[in-house]
Amino acid sequence: MIEFAFQDLIPEEEILFRIDSLKQRMAGAGLDAVFITHRPDYYYFTGTGQEAWLYVPLDHEPRVFVKRYLPRAVRECPFDNIIPVRSVTEIPDIIRDSHGRLPGKMGLAYDLVPVKDFKFYQSLFYGTAFMDATPLIEACRSIKTEYEIRVMEGVAEVCSQVFAFASANLAPGERETDFAGRMEAFARTLGHSGQIQMRHYRAEGFTGHITSGASGGLPGALPSPVCGTGPCTAYPFGAGPKPIEENEPVLIDFVTMVNGYHMDEARMFALGKIDSRAEAAGLAAIEILEGLRAAMKPGVPIRQIFREAVELAGQTGFSDQFLGLPGDKSRSVGHGIGVELVENPMLAKGRAGELAPGMVFAVAPKFIFKDRFAAGVESVIRVTENGSRFLSRTPNQIFQV
């Protein structure tokens, strides 16, 4: 029999705090209940990733309906009401029998639930009016607790070891895809899940985003300044078949997911003597990153961070290459990060809202030089009570190999 330590169980008080935060927002929005179907969302509020649905009524205790696998869900989730079901169709009758009625207004994550499923839920919860619960869920998740920060600090340590592995093992002659595979294999020995949680159904998540020389200067379908060639036309993102060559810049953007939380970092590597413009752009990106970290404080408008990034890039001499090619630039310089790789809020142009203590962002000032190379850096930053600090532990530098 296999024994598991379950060292990553989320503490009961943490789960109860999250549920209370959700209920406060439900009350403000006039919702009687929220029905959560997306695995990262119900993992965040329950502590279990088993196949389940979470029902959170405003005036009763939450109920976790588990299809598969009940003993693990019971072990992982601190709630009393963990109910086995064979099908989601059983849930409305159980709620009606327990509470005497179905909710009048119930929230769903409109950004995730497919139209077919939405119509199906409408038929199941007949007479219930549905509302969008996405803003409520995202508002809870956007402010990280001290528990979450500790978990992410652990992931940051794993990520720093992965980049140390890259620095010690990157060499000319190996294909981008091959080295990406070796990096991921090493990360798996440290607890990396091998999977990346993405929210939007058109988004692509992958761990080893490696571009060397000219492959970094190829724009593509990825909604990011740097895309890479990818392994094939069907998957045109990230590492490709190009051999890594001597005396060229390599940009490695690596995502690690450990114990349910992500870390997203990018560093430049110089294989020998690289192009002077590549080195200058890499150092400029680090300066922009440090400048943004200094500017990120509670109460600062989110749109101001993007504006600051553009202004700092304008002082480098590389403004035409910043965040993409002219006419095809990214409108974001960073994104929230946590149980999913990309979370709200985004550090984007014109984005409403203000920075608040507990927000955590992957900040990524990058440059793309068409058909030549990519340069940049990405680190994770936490907004504190008085300012901000790096959660990333990988040094913000160009690694000389």
Side-chain angles (χ1 to χ4, degrees):
M1 178 178 179
I2 299 175
E3 295 290 340
F4 294 99
F6 291 101
Q7 70 274 10
D8 64 326
L9 291 180
I10 301 176
E12 179 178 359
E13 60 271 18
E14 176 76 13
I15 293 295
L16 297 180
F17 173 82
R18 297 176 186 183
I19 291 291
D20 184 63
S21 296
L22 178 61
K23 285 192 172 186
Q24 290 181 38
R25 291 174 168 85
M26 288 165 55
L31 285 176
D32 301 314
V34 170
F35 190 56
I36 297 177
T37 64
H38 180 52
R39 189 184 307 274
D41 284 344
Y42 67 69
Y43 168 77
Y44 175 83
F45 287 110
T46 68
T48 185
Q50 298 301 305
E51 186 178 4
W53 297 267
L54 171 63
Y55 178 73
V56 182
L58 187 61
D59 53 355
H60 294 85
E61 294 301 310
R63 290 175 174 263
V64 184
F65 298 95
V66 181
K67 182 176 181 180
R68 187 181 297 109
Y69 173 62
L70 183 66
R72 290 179 64 173
V74 170
R75 175 70 177 85
E76 296 161 357
C77 177
F79 299 145
D80 293 329
N81 294 317
I82 303 177
I83 303 166
V85 294
R86 290 169 295 182
S87 167
V88 67
T89 59
E90 300 173 23
I91 293 176
D93 286 339
I94 296 174
I95 294 172
R96 190 182 292 106
D97 291 343
S98 300
H99 300 163
R101 58 180 175 80
L102 294 177
K105 293 182 179 180
M106 186 167 72
L108 283 175
Y110 279 13
D111 65 323
L112 292 166
V113 177
V115 173
K116 181 179 179 181
D117 286 3
F118 179 75
K119 292 181 177 180
F120 178 61
Y121 293 143
Q122 283 184 312
S123 68
L124 283 182
F125 291 87
Y126 184 76
T128 295
F130 285 90
M131 297 175 62
D132 186 11
T134 299
L136 284 65
I137 294 168
E138 290 184 337
C140 292
R141 286 179 40 188
S142 68
I143 305 297
K144 303 311 189 273
T145 65
E146 289 301 319
Y147 168 81
E148 291 180 281
I149 295 298
R150 289 195 300 272
V151 174
M152 295 187 76
E153 287 174 336
V155 188
E157 177 58 33
V158 169
C159 206
S160 70
Q161 293 183 47
V162 175
F163 275 96
F165 172 89
S167 181
N169 290 274
L170 188 65
E174 191 169 11
R175 297 188 306 172
E176 294 172 354
T177 48
D178 296 347
F179 191 68
R182 288 211 289 143
M183 281 189 69
E184 182 175 337
F186 176 74
R188 292 296 292 270
T189 69
L190 303 177
H192 172 42
S193 68
Q195 297 292 320
I196 306 302
Q197 301 276 23
M198 298 293 290
R199 191 168 188 87
H200 197 279
Y201 76 100
R202 286 172 64 89
E204 301 287 343
F206 49 94
T207 56
H209 189 165
I210 298 176
T211 61
S212 60
S215 69
L218 179 65
L222 195 70
S224 166
V226 181
C227 179
T229 65
C232 60
T233 55
Y235 199 89
F237 320 100
K242 177 188 173 299
I244 299 169
E245 300 177 9
E246 193 170 4
N247 298 325
E248 69 177 1
V250 178
L251 183 64
I252 298 181
D253 191 333
F254 198 83
V255 179
T256 311
M257 200 271 259
V258 181
N259 288 340
Y261 283 80
H262 296 77
M263 189 62 49
D264 187 4
E265 297 182 358
R267 296 295 184 273
M268 280 184 70
F269 293 78
L271 270 70
K273 185 174 177 58
I274 63 172
D275 185 293
S276 60
R277 282 172 62 82
E279 182 178 18
L283 294 175
I286 294 171
E287 290 182 7
I288 294 171
L289 176 68
E290 296 285 355
L292 295 180
R293 204 280 313 153
M296 293 172 67
K297 301 176 182 179
V300 173
I302 289 174
R303 62 169 64 91
Q304 183 173 316
I305 301 302
F306 181 85
R307 186 164 58 244
E308 179 81 6
V310 174
E311 291 175 358
L312 289 171
Q315 302 170 17
T316 67
F318 302 123
S319 58
D320 285 348
Q321 291 81 23
F322 187 56
L323 298 182
L325 300 178
D328 191 29
K329 292 184 178 294
S330 172
R331 296 170 61 88
S332 169
V333 73
H335 55 83
I337 186 170
V339 295
E340 289 170 310
L341 172 59
V342 179
E343 298 185 350
N344 274 320
M346 303 289 291
L347 296 177
K349 182 178 181 179
R351 182 59 63 101
E354 297 180 347
L355 298 180
M359 288 183 175
V360 177
F361 297 94
V363 184
K366 296 175 183 175
F367 300 90
I368 179 170
F369 293 75
K370 192 175 187 329
D371 299 326
R372 295 184 61 195
F373 56 82
V377 67
E378 182 170 13
S379 284
V380 175
I381 296 174
R382 172 198 182 183
V383 180
T384 65
E385 294 293 333
N386 301 311
S388 62
R389 68 175 180 87
F390 286 109
L391 278 185
S392 293
R393 299 187 178 183
T394 308
N396 294 317
Q397 67 180 56
I398 298 175
F399 287 82
Q400 185 68 47
V401 179

